[in-house]
Amino acid sequence: MKLNAIIVEDEANSREILKNYLVKYCPNVALLGEASSIQEGLDLIKGNALDLVFLDVEMPFGNAFDLLDQVPERNFETVFVTAYNQYAMDALNNHAAYYLMKPINIDELIKAVDHVSDIVSKENALADKVLTPKLKSVIGKITIPQQDGFQVLNVSDILYCKADDNYTEIHLEKKKILVSKTLKYFEEVLTEFAFSRIHKSYLVNVNEVVNYKKGKGGSVVVSNGKELLVSASRKKEFLSYF
């Protein structure tokens, strides 16, 4: 599928190199424009229906994160392109789909484009359809430790789990239970069931997802109406359930 994209990069030589690589190695990317500043980038974002933005981190009069702060509702994926690896965590927190280091490695560029293409294709295929998860078993029980013993829960009754430092909140339809176990522990325990780690803070019962929203990393709404963020790095894995 074609990906409508722009490049936001203040160095003309870097823009030219990336553009030439995309033309030669990523023919499914349709470049709609280039920007050399934050304001030019904002104008292109607001004026086009985009799937992908290649975004340099360091630019005059601000940086990539300043630009993204001005686009709270995003329907595009972001690939950061930078010579500075210290921005990796900030990029992750801003829901980057991929992080490319300069000088750009062609194989990594192809991987980045393929990764975004897979996500966008899946999102488009699921749009306006009744979601039917390709579920593994949701029938089973789990024991929750308590001071005086343990509680037994049906796995299917768990809507989602939320990290709280070294504790985990287990959210049921009408209550939550705080357990002195990490979210990683429950991710491993529930691995044979239809639970997806959608974010560093959330593990969701896929069968309870009633809505999926694009934007930034994206988000899901579960059956009790709670909206949970989906990390860009975990979006592809989550969408594979459907």
Side-chain angles (χ1 to χ4, degrees):
M1 66 169 296
K2 282 288 185 183
L3 295 175
N4 290 331
I6 63 170
I7 298 172
V8 184
E9 160 71 67
D10 65 302
E11 296 180 359
N13 186 54
S14 294
R15 289 198 306 273
E16 192 65 22
I17 290 172
L18 177 54
K19 181 170 64 175
N20 289 338
Y21 281 173
L22 290 171
V23 169
K24 187 171 183 179
Y25 300 106
C26 305
N28 61 320
V29 174
L31 277 177
L32 303 186
E34 303 172 34
S36 60
S37 67
I38 290 174
Q39 187 56 55
E40 289 179 6
L42 283 171
D43 291 342
L44 283 176
I45 288 170
K46 293 175 181 178
N48 294 280
L50 299 174
D51 301 302
L52 174 58
V53 173
F54 292 96
L55 187 55
D56 185 23
V57 176
E58 288 285 2
M59 287 181 286
F61 312 110
N63 59 34
F65 311 114
D66 297 323
L67 185 154
L68 292 176
D69 284 344
Q70 298 180 63
V71 191
E73 298 297 326
R74 290 178 232 157
N75 290 322
F76 55 83
E77 299 295 328
T78 306
V79 172
F80 282 85
V81 185
T82 180
Y84 307 98
N85 58 15
Q86 69 263 33
Y87 292 111
M89 184 55 68
D90 287 333
L92 181 63
N93 290 335
N94 276 270
H95 303 286
Y98 219 91
Y99 189 87
L100 292 174
M101 291 294 298
K102 296 178 183 178
I104 294 173
N105 178 285
I106 294 170
D107 289 336
E108 285 299 309
L109 175 62
I110 294 171
K111 285 181 185 178
V113 171
D114 286 346
H115 180 76
V116 172
S117 184
D118 287 344
I119 291 172
V120 174
S121 295
K122 191 66 174 179
E123 286 180 335
N124 290 343
L126 292 174
D128 302 319
K129 290 186 178 180
V130 175
L131 299 183
T132 305
K134 297 180 291 187
L135 296 177
K136 293 184 277 186
S137 172
V138 293
I139 300 173
K141 295 181 182 294
I142 185 173
T143 58
I144 305 301
Q146 296 180 326
Q147 287 185 344
D148 58 350
F150 59 84
Q151 181 178 357
V152 180
L153 292 178
N154 289 318
V155 170
S156 59
D157 289 339
I158 300 172
L159 304 184
Y160 65 94
C161 302
K162 180 181 178 182
D164 185 1
D165 291 328
N166 289 323
Y167 290 79
T168 297
E169 296 177 3
I170 297 179
H171 288 255
L172 309 176
E173 184 176 358
K174 294 182 179 179
K175 68 176 182 178
K176 68 180 179 181
I177 304 169
L178 186 64
V179 185
S180 58
K181 297 283 187 181
T182 64
L183 189 61
K184 180 66 174 176
Y185 168 82
F186 285 102
E187 182 181 7
E188 293 172 353
V189 167
L190 296 169
T191 187
E192 64 180 282
F193 303 99
F195 281 77
S196 177
R197 184 73 177 267
I198 60 171
H199 188 276
K200 64 181 180 180
S201 297
Y202 297 116
L203 178 69
V204 68
N205 182 345
V206 177
N207 203 39
E208 295 296 327
V209 173
V210 298
N211 194 8
Y212 170 80
K213 297 181 180 180
K214 292 183 179 181
K216 294 188 178 181
S219 63
V220 297
V221 178
V222 292
S223 56
N224 68 346
K226 178 68 175 180
E227 185 171 350
L228 311 174
L229 289 176
V230 179
S231 297
S233 60
R234 298 182 182 272
K235 183 188 291 187
K236 183 178 176 181
E237 180 183 351
F238 166 72
L239 291 173
S240 69
Y241 276 88
F242 299 93

